[in-house]
Amino acid sequence: MQKIGVLTSGGDAPGLNACIRAVVRAGHYYGLEVVGIKRGFKGLIEREFEPLTPRDVSLIINRGGTVLLSAREPRFKEHEFRKKAAENIRKEGIDCLFVIGGNGSFQGANLLTKEFGIPVIGIPKTIDNDTYGTEYTIGFDTAVNNAVDAIDKIRDTSMSHERVFVVEVMGRDSGFIALAASIATGADVALIPEYPFPMHVIVDTVVDALKRGKRFSIVVVAEGVASAREIAGILDEKLKPFDFGGVRYSVLGYIQRGGSPTAYDRIIASRFGVFAVEQFVNGKTDIMVALENGKVVAKPLEISFGRIKKPDLTDFELNNILTI
Ligand code: F6P
């Protein structure tokens, strides 16, 4: 009987459990043994393996976080520890390693293949949605909904006190969350690293809104551009001559990464997981699962390395049109 291993690596994202469940259940459906590896690559090095049956993954599809736990493992950058991990995979008799992770985790997985011939399959997840080669990564939809929920609440205060609010969202070096949350909440400005605005344009946009009688504004800033505090400080200075309720800022932080996954994330995670197992069953490894034109497809794992995925320019322009 063939055996597959599954791990989650890097920052947690809502939908990881739905994906683990899908890999485990599809594995058993196709007659495979499934082993869960705890704490990502750390568990590979320290041999933290546990068999997983379909019943072990009951009641997790709706839960955030990851039941397999996750970690960012700096030791995996060293050949010596990757060798140890590969030895442990061989000793356990794992025929293919399923890595549910982002760019960094895929690079680690790729080294296991290149250096030691371990077959791997990558399944993309990150709330940031910044993995090149796939339109979607597990967790993004929930993170955007979490941000939208928070910004809708902040808008109540912004409107009632006639304040300008700068809201900082996650995304590392990318602006996918910021742009989507901005469109969905009708924010006045979305500051994202991919399509930068000079600061004077941001000030002018808020000033114009005030002059047009719009006495409250929301500026959404991606963490990769600047801190909300910094932007709020600049706006506060420039908006002094105007009569309104002042500038405040809010950093949404880790609430974006937690909570029960949306239906979309559960469905995508389930599709990605089952598709990944079917690829292995059909003899295809060293690939990543991707969403392309709305369909789940397989791509070479290396496609995601060193390339920058950008949000759609049309969406960025649409956001600017709607803030008139
Ligand atoms: O990649 C997901 C993410 O939440 C980013 O948006 C953020 O910049 C980063 O992880 C935070 O990382 P950590 O969990 O190590 O603080």
Side-chain angles (χ1 to χ4, degrees):
M1 193 188 236
Q2 286 194 299
K3 196 189 263 190
I4 58 173
V6 57
L7 61 79
T8 51
S9 168
D12 65 320
L16 285 178
N17 286 327
C19 191
I20 294 166
R21 172 181 177 271
V23 170
V24 172
R25 294 207 169 162
H28 283 271
Y29 178 87
Y30 288 107
L32 309 171
E33 259 183 82
V34 187
V35 169
I37 297 127
K38 289 284 181 74
R39 300 179 180 82
F41 292 127
K42 185 168 188 286
L44 275 184
I45 295 168
E46 291 169 14
R47 210 167 171 193
E48 292 185 87
F49 298 161
E50 63 178 33
L52 289 174
T53 69
R55 296 286 70 73
D56 292 328
V57 290
S58 292
L59 303 174
I60 65 167
I61 193 167
N62 56 331
R63 283 170 55 193
T66 161
V67 292
L68 285 177
L69 312 180
S70 194
R72 303 192 199 277
E73 176 50 275
R75 288 181 299 171
F76 218 70
K77 294 205 172 87
E78 294 170 41
H79 181 267
E80 171 197 350
F81 289 100
R82 291 196 296 273
K83 187 162 175 248
K84 178 108 187 91
E87 280 164 10
N88 286 338
I89 292 170
R90 289 238 159 76
K91 272 188 212 146
E92 183 67 27
I94 293 173
D95 297 296
C96 180
L97 179 69
F98 289 68
V99 174
I100 314 175
N103 264 324
S105 311
F106 286 180
Q107 287 181 34
N110 191 48
L111 287 174
L112 282 178
T113 304
K114 293 282 170 300
E115 295 173 343
F116 309 102
I118 304 283
V120 297
I121 294 185
I123 306 179
K125 69 82 213 170
T126 160
I127 61 161
D128 305 332
N129 198 27
D130 61 350
T131 306
Y132 189 89
T134 178
E135 283 158 14
Y136 191 79
T137 56
I138 297 168
F140 174 65
D141 188 58
T142 311
V144 170
N145 276 286
N146 286 341
V148 166
D149 187 47
I151 296 169
D152 280 347
K153 287 173 179 148
I154 288 170
R155 202 198 294 97
D156 288 346
T157 303
S158 170
M159 184 272 290
S160 305
H161 287 265
E162 302 184 305
R163 286 176 181 162
V164 172
F165 260 91
V166 183
V167 184
E168 181 182 319
V169 300
M170 279 187 166
R172 202 180 288 276
D173 299 320
S174 74
F176 286 91
I177 298 178
L179 183 56
S182 178
I183 294 172
T185 57
D188 297 82
V189 188
L191 301 179
I192 62 172
E194 295 86 351
Y195 307 114
F197 277 130
M199 195 60 210
H200 71 87
V201 174
I202 301 154
V203 175
D204 289 351
T205 307
V206 178
V207 167
D208 282 353
L210 281 167
K211 284 185 180 157
R212 290 197 313 270
K214 192 165 186 279
R215 293 173 59 83
F216 67 96
S217 292
I218 304 272
V219 174
V220 177
V221 57
E223 64 177 352
V225 171
S227 71
R229 185 163 179 239
E230 216 176 304
I231 303 286
I234 299 170
L235 283 174
D236 203 28
E237 195 53 42
K238 303 277 186 196
L239 299 179
K240 276 207 164 61
F242 295 91
D243 175 29
F244 71 113
V247 182
R248 296 287 189 278
Y249 70 89
S250 201
V251 180
L252 299 191
Y254 291 91
I255 58 162
Q256 291 161 96
R257 233 159 81 174
S260 182
T262 58
Y264 186 74
D265 269 324
R266 296 179 199 194
I267 293 166
I268 284 287
S270 303
R271 283 193 191 144
F272 277 8
V274 172
F275 182 87
V277 172
E278 286 174 342
Q279 292 300 298
F280 170 70
V281 169
N282 293 323
K284 293 195 190 102
T285 60
D286 313 333
I287 49 150
M288 70 176 260
V289 174
L291 194 73
E292 191 169 68
N293 300 322
K295 292 251 176 307
V296 184
V297 297
K299 295 206 176 169
L301 195 55
E302 284 149 345
I303 202 161
S304 64
F305 306 162
R307 292 195 170 99
I308 306 226
K309 177 177 160 192
K310 281 187 170 194
D312 201 341
L313 179 62
T314 321
D315 274 350
F316 181 67
E317 288 167 349
L318 172 150
N319 191 52
N320 298 333
I321 290 170
L322 293 177
T323 56
I324 194 159

